[in-house]
């Protein structure tokens, strides 16, 4: 079966499902997107890996795994999302140590969090992308957006017949703060290990610096 390489397009909070997030993966050589519903902790870990400027005062679980792997010369070579059953994605982590490859089963959110920390590529099979693509719908206004825009506005993710509303914009409260105030709030969020808030603050700061 043909493998398709993916990249992370964005991560958004669900307005209707408390604690649920949507991770959006985009095929590198195409326009199709793969939406994956993940939990708050995994979303936080992925956001931390994406936001290079946010440094947790203590290592998160995925950081600990990375440190452990580095100490024992284990390298994550790639991640493959290899199965989709009843709306649940299954993934494998391809590792290597002493030139010997091992395949480890993992939750997709964990696999992606580790792939980011190892700079490992993420793949899925074309059949899965074809199947999962039907769950993603965009509003007409999104079709006119610049493809280079890092943000993604997702109106609906249809997962197992349910509609999940996604809010990808920054909080209105953050828009009222000055850059200096945003940086202070960011420092506080990191110190308090509130990485969800830190990621949103970093998004607002990035928009101001464009």
């Amino acid at each position: 079966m043909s493998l398709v390489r993916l990249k992370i397009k964005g991560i958004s909070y669900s307005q209707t499902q408390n604690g649920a997030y949507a991770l959006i993966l985009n095929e590198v050589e195409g326009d199709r997107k793969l939406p994956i519903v993940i939990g708050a902790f995994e979303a936080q870990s992925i956001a931390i890996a994406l936001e290079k400027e946010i440094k947790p005062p203590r290592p998160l679980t995925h950081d600990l795994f990375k440190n452990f792997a580095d100490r024992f010369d284990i390298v994550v070579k790639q991640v493959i999302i290899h199965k989709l059953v009843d709306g649940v994605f299954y993934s494998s982590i391809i590792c290597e140590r002493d030139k010997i490859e091992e395949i480890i089963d993992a939750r997709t959110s964990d696999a992606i969090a580790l792939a980011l920390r190892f700079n490992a590529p993420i793949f899925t099979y074309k059949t899965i992308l074809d199947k999962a693509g039907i769950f993603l719908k965009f509003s007409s206004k999104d079709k006119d957006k610049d493809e280079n825009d890092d943000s993604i506005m997702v109106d609906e993710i249809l997962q197992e017949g349910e509609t999940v509303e996604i809010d990808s914009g920054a909080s209105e409260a953050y828009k009222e703060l000055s850059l200096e105030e945003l940086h202070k709030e960011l420092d506080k969020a990191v110190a308090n290990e509130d990485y969800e808030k830190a990621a949103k603050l970093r998004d607002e700061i990035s928009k101001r610096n464009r």
Side-chain angles (χ1 to χ4, degrees):
M1 289 185 287
S2 177
L3 283 173
V4 179
R5 185 165 181 176
L6 304 170
K7 62 182 178 181
I8 296 177
K9 181 66 176 177
I11 187 167
S12 302
Y13 181 67
S14 167
Q15 292 181 324
T16 59
Q17 294 187 10
N18 187 32
Y21 291 76
L23 174 67
I24 311 299
L25 302 174
N26 196 103
E27 61 178 333
V28 172
E29 297 182 359
D31 297 323
R32 290 177 298 177
K33 295 169 179 63
L34 191 68
I36 301 175
V37 175
I38 62 177
F41 172 77
E42 292 78 12
Q44 171 182 290
S45 184
I46 290 171
I48 289 296
L50 289 171
E51 297 290 345
K52 304 297 183 182
E53 297 180 31
I54 299 178
K55 301 296 183 183
R58 298 181 297 169
L60 301 179
T61 302
H62 298 109
D63 297 320
L64 177 60
F65 183 95
K66 174 66 162 59
N67 295 337
F68 182 91
D70 288 344
R71 183 67 60 90
F72 291 95
D73 297 321
I74 301 169
V75 177
V76 171
K77 304 288 288 186
Q78 62 183 5
V79 163
I80 299 177
I81 303 171
H82 63 83
K83 186 167 64 175
L84 173 61
V85 179
D86 296 330
V88 178
F89 293 90
Y90 295 79
S91 295
S92 295
I93 301 174
I94 314 301
C95 302
E96 182 180 280
R97 182 173 184 267
D98 294 334
K99 297 183 179 179
I100 298 175
E101 278 195 355
E102 298 285 350
I103 301 175
I104 301 175
D105 288 333
R107 294 189 306 169
T108 298
S109 53
D110 289 329
I112 291 174
L114 290 174
L116 285 169
R117 286 162 170 80
F118 283 89
N119 292 316
I122 303 166
F123 296 94
T124 192
Y125 290 108
K126 182 179 181 297
T127 52
I128 291 178
L129 192 58
D130 291 340
K131 182 179 179 181
I134 64 172
F135 297 133
L136 187 64
K137 295 201 319 186
F138 292 95
S139 65
S140 58
K141 65 181 180 180
D142 296 324
K143 297 178 182 178
D144 298 328
K145 289 180 69 65
D146 189 340
E147 292 183 354
N148 293 325
D149 190 350
D150 290 335
S151 65
I152 180 170
M153 299 296 291
V154 182
D155 285 332
E156 295 174 329
I157 292 179
L158 307 179
Q159 195 78 18
E160 297 182 333
E162 295 184 0
T163 299
V164 179
E165 296 293 334
I166 300 298
D167 173 22
S168 61
S171 169
E172 290 296 324
Y174 298 151
K175 294 180 181 179
E176 302 297 324
L177 300 178
S178 67
L179 264 177
E180 182 180 354
E181 290 171 328
L182 285 171
H183 280 289
K184 287 181 180 178
E185 288 298 318
L186 176 60
D187 291 340
K188 288 180 184 177
V190 172
N192 293 330
E193 300 185 20
D194 186 350
Y195 302 119
E196 176 188 332
K197 181 178 179 181
K200 291 178 180 179
L201 285 163
R202 171 51 58 188
D203 287 343
E204 182 63 24
I205 291 171
S206 297
K207 289 179 181 179
R208 304 274 187 96
N209 290 332
R210 287 177 183 172

